[in-house]
Amino acid sequence: MSGRAAEPPPDATLRRWEREQAQLKASVVEEDTEEWQKDSSFAGLERVGGVDLSYIKGDDTSACASLVVLSYPALEVLYEDCQMVAVSAPYVAGFLAFREVPFLVEAVQRLQEEEPKLKPQVLLVDGNGLLHPRGFGVACHLGVLTDLPCIGVAKNLLQVDGLVRNELHREQIRSLQREGDTFPLTGTSGRILGMVLRSYNNSSKPLYVSVGHRVCLETAVRLVKSCCRYRIPEPIRQADIRSREYIRKQLCSPLEVISSEPESRKEEAELDD
């Protein structure tokens, strides 16, 4: 199968996207807004959502958008929505939301129409929130448009505000000895942009957690940790697994499927490490 790629957008489109990000960023709330967030055991939290997009390798214009809702704290799947979508916007660093968020917003809207009682109280997003060149990553974008608490959970460090994957950073990661250990990501601006979390004892690879919307960083980290049976928090892990499987069933083919991460293939093993 020949690969297909979306055309890069003109400069005018990038400027329009930047303006839109700046306008929406003004609505981001970086603190807890829900009663369940204020309880040490998250009493009152019953439904946690996860979202993801998966692509067919070699074709970045066809994807499966997935939304799952899990019970909390049992983390059992209550709802699943997988839809094949035609992606027209290209991947541009710093503008992933314009490529993927419209399909995730539609998934949330379908859920609200079809199963309103299963509406998630928080969404875990495979991507960054405030940890972003303009402080408005995909988790912020989705949070503002849906008005749901959102948390960004990334598997790789986005190098912004002086943050780099240097030897010091690797040494800090090695210092995370047990699951639940963390250290802050402090940019050269002096602002804490996110937290590095060792989420699972059997994996030395950390997660990069950042605020999306209507949640503070401390709460975000605690919730992500509580949702991890493996390295990847279960809502995102289930959204990824189900979107991959949906593509395979639709195509009746063992074609390789990749995650929404544009620059690194997500290996199947990573789902369980």
Side-chain angles (χ1 to χ4, degrees):
M1 181 174 131
S2 62
R4 290 182 293 168
E7 292 294 322
D11 290 343
T13 298
L14 294 180
R15 290 194 296 270
R16 176 169 56 82
W17 285 355
E18 282 191 16
R19 290 194 299 271
E20 188 171 334
Q21 284 179 330
Q23 290 166 355
L24 292 173
K25 182 182 176 183
S27 298
V28 171
V29 176
E30 301 178 33
E31 57 192 35
D32 293 339
T33 61
E34 310 302 299
E35 285 302 314
W36 60 263
Q37 295 167 330
K38 300 166 187 174
D39 187 278
S40 60
S41 61
F42 296 129
L45 177 61
E46 299 177 348
R47 297 173 306 283
V48 179
V51 293
D52 194 31
L53 260 75
S54 292
Y55 296 80
I56 304 165
K57 187 178 182 183
D59 180 2
D60 69 357
T61 62
S62 297
C64 177
S66 174
L67 164 66
V68 297
V69 181
L70 276 60
S71 63
Y72 189 90
L75 301 177
E76 296 174 345
V77 176
L78 303 174
Y79 175 90
E80 170 185 348
D81 179 284
C82 291
Q83 298 272 344
M84 294 302 297
V85 296
V87 180
S88 58
Y91 170 72
V92 181
F95 297 99
L96 179 65
F98 293 94
R99 178 171 167 81
E100 299 190 346
V101 160
F103 306 113
L104 302 177
V105 170
E106 288 174 1
V108 171
Q109 290 171 341
R110 280 194 299 272
L111 167 58
Q112 292 176 331
E113 292 168 3
E114 298 169 7
E115 297 282 355
K117 293 181 180 178
L118 295 180
K119 179 181 176 180
Q121 294 162 275
V122 60
L123 281 174
L124 272 56
V125 181
D126 183 14
N128 292 293
L130 296 179
L131 181 58
H132 180 270
R134 287 170 297 282
F136 194 73
V138 63
C140 297
H141 208 126
L142 183 60
V144 170
L145 292 184
T146 61
D147 198 31
L148 287 172
C150 278
I151 298 170
V153 184
K155 292 176 284 297
N156 297 293
L157 175 66
L158 188 61
Q159 301 184 69
V160 299
D161 195 13
L163 298 174
V164 290
R165 286 191 296 260
N166 55 15
E167 184 53 37
L168 173 60
H169 184 72
R170 288 188 284 271
E171 185 178 321
Q172 289 175 308
I173 290 174
R174 288 192 290 271
S175 74
L176 304 176
Q177 295 295 307
R178 297 179 302 276
E179 61 181 55
D181 285 355
T182 63
F183 67 85
L185 288 167
T186 305
T188 53
S189 64
R191 187 176 187 197
I192 295 177
L193 302 176
M195 197 74 73
V196 184
L197 166 69
R198 180 163 182 165
S199 58
Y200 183 54
N201 271 335
N202 291 357
S203 176
S204 59
K205 297 178 182 178
L207 297 175
Y208 296 87
V209 181
S210 57
V211 169
H213 183 51
R214 292 177 57 184
V215 62
C216 75
L217 184 58
E218 179 186 357
T219 299
V221 172
R222 283 198 302 119
L223 181 61
V224 169
K225 172 62 188 72
S226 74
C227 288
C228 288
R229 290 175 173 166
Y230 303 97
R231 179 195 174 205
I232 308 302
E234 203 63 13
I236 292 175
R237 181 173 176 269
Q238 289 298 327
D240 179 89
I241 289 172
R242 289 160 193 267
S243 61
R244 290 165 176 258
E245 186 58 28
Y246 188 84
I247 288 177
R248 293 189 181 101
K249 287 180 178 178
Q250 289 292 303
L251 300 176
C252 299
S253 165
L255 285 173
E256 278 193 271
V257 183
I258 61 173
S259 78
S260 61
E261 294 187 352
E263 295 174 357
S264 62
R265 262 192 59 208
K266 178 162 37 176
E267 301 295 338
E268 292 284 354
E270 187 180 65
L271 294 170
D272 294 314
D273 73 5

